[in-house]
Amino acid sequence: LLLQAMVVGRAHNVDPSVASFLITGESRDTVSVSLPMRRAKCTFDYVAGQPVHEKKQVKEGSQIKVEDVVQRLSGQCASGQSGYWTYEVCIGGNIRQYHGADSYMLGRYNRVEGKILKFDNGLPCDPPSNPMERKVDVSLACSDNMGLQLISEPSTCVYTMTLLTPEVCADSSFPKLMSSPGGAGGPKSDDGHEDWILQVREMENGEVVCTAFSTEQKLAGSRLSFSSFSLKLDADEDERKVANPTMKARAMGRVPLSSSEVSTERSMISHGKDFNGKLGYVEVAGTLSTAGGGAPEASASTGTAARGWFT
């Protein structure tokens, strides 16, 4: 049974160009926002399915390849605290260390060596006296929930930590650890819903930008899996059209979706044939021009920085 998602206007709905809404674990809905004077409309249509962290039926005693785990978890993030700092790892992306406004990039995902995820090319330690770049080795352990534990810095600017995930539980060669909600490495509890924002804005250069995104992109990854989605930017006046449209989409962890994971048509972007259900940010942008002539071709731009709140 699909449950209707709740749509709640922000600030008593005084701003028709912004809507905040709750997506539950099993829901479908269409949400729209408009610019003042109804010059443009942004519409987000989606069907949300089972949580991404759904447990898989894997036979005990299986041998699991770490490369396969990385592929399945790509775009998901986990965090944990050790002393003063909080650490966040995004699979296939970056690892950062932060506290308040202070944030340091410790490494970018590079490769797998044995059962270790290698993150290299982090920020230099203390240039110019110690220009060594930070790096991190991430090992894997079995747990019911995602999280980070056993975070340490065995030598200056060289870090180790353990990513907890149910993805390796069928392989007895991986250690088993108990997650500790609220403690070091404890994952955020899975309450089966996410808060999203849909927004349409007109930039100083006249470009109109339509965005839909999760407010939880900096947390431990999405708890939802989308069966389908589409984001469309329309001109609300018959004599206008959306010209020069550009589009982009990302999974959690700011990982761009590939060209085969999305489909574009005119001023709309939607799920593609290889879409795996992981979505954190989607955008359509263009200019409003007087109608006439052929419709411009859309261009997918999944690899560039987005204009949304989470860049």
Side-chain angles (χ1 to χ4, degrees):
L1 179 64
L2 293 174
L3 303 177
Q4 187 78 2
M6 294 188 294
V7 181
V8 183
R10 175 184 285 187
H12 305 290
N13 240 10
V14 296
D15 187 352
S17 67
V18 180
S20 60
F21 55 103
L22 187 72
I23 302 181
T24 61
E26 286 279 354
S27 59
R28 67 176 0 155
D29 203 1
T30 300
V31 186
S32 296
V33 292
S34 298
L35 282 173
M37 307 301 294
R38 295 184 57 82
R39 286 174 295 155
K41 182 172 71 172
C42 179
T43 303
F44 183 51
D45 182 273
Y46 66 88
V47 176
Q50 296 295 323
V52 169
H53 299 317
E54 179 183 7
K55 293 182 180 179
K56 298 176 174 60
Q57 299 297 322
V58 182
K59 184 181 297 185
E60 288 288 340
S62 299
Q63 289 187 339
I64 293 175
K65 293 183 177 180
V66 175
E67 291 85 353
D68 294 339
V69 175
V70 171
Q71 184 176 7
R72 288 195 296 269
L73 295 180
S74 178
Q76 298 184 42
C77 302
S79 61
Q81 189 170 352
S82 179
Y84 179 81
W85 297 103
T86 298
Y87 296 80
E88 178 190 64
V89 54
C90 293
I91 311 304
N94 299 339
I95 294 181
R96 68 183 183 122
Q97 172 193 59
Y98 64 94
H99 182 92
D102 296 327
S103 180
Y104 300 93
M105 201 276 288
L106 303 185
R108 298 180 176 88
Y109 175 72
N110 187 339
R111 64 194 184 281
V112 171
E113 285 189 4
K115 293 186 176 181
I116 303 297
L117 279 61
K118 309 288 285 189
F119 289 76
D120 301 326
N121 302 315
L123 290 176
C125 254
D126 187 18
S129 60
N130 185 4
M132 171 184 171
E133 293 178 338
R134 291 173 167 88
K135 59 183 179 180
V136 188
D137 285 351
V138 179
S139 58
L140 301 176
C142 164
S143 182
D144 288 340
N145 299 292
M146 281 190 71
L148 282 181
Q149 286 189 9
L150 306 179
I151 301 167
S152 65
E153 188 178 359
S155 60
T156 303
C157 294
V158 177
Y159 304 82
T160 63
M161 58 189 69
T162 299
L163 173 68
L164 310 184
T165 172
E167 293 283 349
V168 299
C169 289
D171 189 336
S172 59
S173 67
F174 290 91
K176 293 186 177 181
L177 296 176
M178 182 178 297
S179 60
S180 52
K188 185 179 175 70
S189 62
D190 187 348
D191 53 9
H193 69 268
E194 281 180 13
D195 292 310
W196 276 65
I197 298 289
L198 179 65
Q199 184 176 34
V200 59
R201 293 162 294 152
E202 187 168 14
M203 313 303 286
E204 291 183 359
N205 63 2
E207 186 180 42
V208 176
V209 182
C210 167
T211 52
F213 55 89
S214 170
T215 64
E216 304 182 35
Q217 290 200 75
K218 293 186 177 180
L219 302 179
S222 176
R223 296 187 293 277
L224 300 173
S225 179
F226 287 82
S227 301
S228 65
F229 76 90
S230 67
L231 183 70
K232 187 177 184 181
L233 176 62
D234 287 310
D236 267 11
E237 299 175 356
D238 292 339
E239 66 274 15
R240 289 181 177 271
K241 66 177 181 180
V242 178
N244 304 315
T246 60
M247 308 170 202
K248 57 182 67 117
R250 295 196 303 253
M252 289 292 186
R254 308 177 184 90
V255 177
L257 299 188
S258 68
S259 58
S260 64
E261 292 179 288
V262 297
S263 176
T264 60
E265 181 180 0
R266 297 184 185 275
S267 58
M268 182 177 74
I269 184 171
S270 60
H271 60 282
K273 61 182 180 64
D274 293 332
F275 178 60
N276 63 6
K278 301 170 187 175
L279 186 68
Y281 179 96
V282 60
E283 173 187 310
V284 178
T287 55
L288 302 180
S289 64
T290 304
E297 293 294 327
S299 63
S301 177
T302 58
T304 56
R307 302 175 188 80
W309 294 8
F310 296 93
T311 57

